[in-house]
Amino acid sequence: MTTSLWSTTFGAGDKWSARISRGRLLRFTALKDNANLSVMMFHADDLTERYNMPDTLKAQYTAHLTRGNILMSDNGRAMASFVEDDLGWHDTITGFMTRATTDAKYGQSTYQQLRNEWLRSGYENFAVELVRSGLGIRDMGPVVNLFSKVSCNDVGRMIYDASHCKEGASVTLRTEMDILLVVSNTPNPLNPSTHYPTAPVQLEVLPAPAVDLDTDYCCNFRSENRRAFENTAEYYLLAGR
């Protein structure tokens, strides 16, 4: 079994960001039931390029993500691929909670009152982490909510599946380009619980095997996937990397 290069655990309400090079496996594991880890992704060498939710979904004929799917940038490049997945469904449409929605659902809390026990919102977490990399509130965009399943019924109502994620479930992404990864371990907006979720999530970073575009499952999952991989390969070839 491949030994991880590095690992960390995000507790309830935690935020984190880091530059991660291409050719890495990012294995996320839910350490309790009902986890939700919101993820933003940017091109580390050009932060104006970032995960494009509409292109990612329409090119792969889906509204949720699982093994075989890739995250595409707004320049049509492959940023990361879902190479392993215990769950089969990760939410792309519900976004993250604000301060106001967090207070309304779980009760008002402030850092001045509760210090590190205050109930953080996804919006605040992303705002802080984006500033660390020279970005700001205007750079906030769609997220992927790992571990969450949100489907739509026949009348278009979104339904959150509270039984979807069990302790020990994992999903592994492979980085196809150098990325800035920004995460927030905060509740999915549709989680029906009236108690602030407390599921920690572990991240392990491992080396990824070399990718053969002719045989790679994610590259060939959809025709647009292969084109995105080729666009990424062209970028690094012309950059001499």
Side-chain angles (χ1 to χ4, degrees):
M1 183 175 180
T2 304
T3 303
S4 65
L5 302 171
W6 181 85
S7 67
T8 191
T9 298
F10 310 121
D14 281 356
K15 60 188 183 300
W16 180 83
S17 61
R19 176 179 173 135
I20 303 174
S21 67
R22 61 182 172 140
R24 295 286 185 260
L25 297 177
L26 311 179
R27 183 165 62 206
F28 299 91
T29 304
L31 301 184
K32 285 186 180 180
D33 294 355
N34 203 19
N36 181 81
L37 190 74
S38 300
V39 174
M40 282 186 190
M41 193 173 292
F42 300 80
H43 181 185
D45 296 325
D46 179 3
L47 296 176
T48 65
E49 183 178 4
R50 66 226 24 215
Y51 161 63
N52 185 301
M53 182 262 275
D55 286 355
T56 293
L57 301 185
K58 72 181 181 182
Q60 297 175 95
Y61 313 109
T62 186
H64 63 273
L65 300 174
T66 185
R67 180 174 179 263
N69 291 133
I70 68 174
L71 302 181
M72 297 182 184
S73 79
D74 46 17
N75 282 347
R77 299 184 181 117
M79 302 187 78
S81 304
F82 283 72
V83 294
E84 297 292 343
D85 183 18
D86 293 341
L87 290 155
W89 191 303
H90 300 272
D91 167 49
T92 63
I93 58 179
T94 59
F96 46 86
M97 297 184 72
T98 64
R99 177 77 268 146
T101 55
T102 301
D103 286 347
K105 191 167 189 176
Y106 303 111
Q108 189 173 21
S109 67
T110 66
Y111 176 78
Q112 288 75 13
Q113 293 172 323
L114 301 176
R115 295 296 189 263
N116 289 335
E117 299 305 312
W118 74 297
L119 307 181
R120 297 165 175 85
S121 74
Y123 183 91
E124 290 163 315
N125 276 357
F126 284 122
V128 170
E129 290 303 315
L130 290 173
V131 167
R132 294 182 194 276
S133 295
L135 299 170
I137 290 173
R138 70 177 185 175
D139 295 296
M140 285 194 193
V143 298
V144 177
N145 286 315
L146 298 178
F147 303 106
S148 287
K149 179 178 181 179
V150 176
S151 58
C152 292
N153 64 15
D154 292 341
V155 296
R157 180 177 171 228
M158 292 190 292
I159 307 296
Y160 179 87
D161 186 350
S163 65
H164 179 61
C165 174
K166 299 298 184 183
E167 179 179 341
S170 70
V171 55
T172 302
L173 305 184
R174 183 182 64 209
T175 56
E176 311 299 351
M177 66 187 338
D178 296 343
I179 62 166
L180 171 66
L181 181 69
V182 189
V183 306
S184 177
N185 187 8
T186 41
N188 186 289
L190 294 188
N191 188 330
S193 174
T194 56
H195 300 285
Y196 194 86
T198 59
V201 174
Q202 181 186 49
L203 167 62
E204 298 169 90
V205 179
L206 307 96
V211 176
D212 182 343
L213 297 188
D214 290 330
T215 60
D216 184 74
Y217 182 75
C218 297
C219 177
N220 295 286
F221 189 70
R222 293 279 185 262
S223 59
E224 291 294 336
N225 290 25
R226 185 175 185 90
R227 184 178 301 178
F229 270 84
E230 291 171 347
N231 290 342
T232 300
E234 178 185 77
Y235 169 84
Y236 283 107
L237 175 66
L238 296 177
R241 299 171 56 194

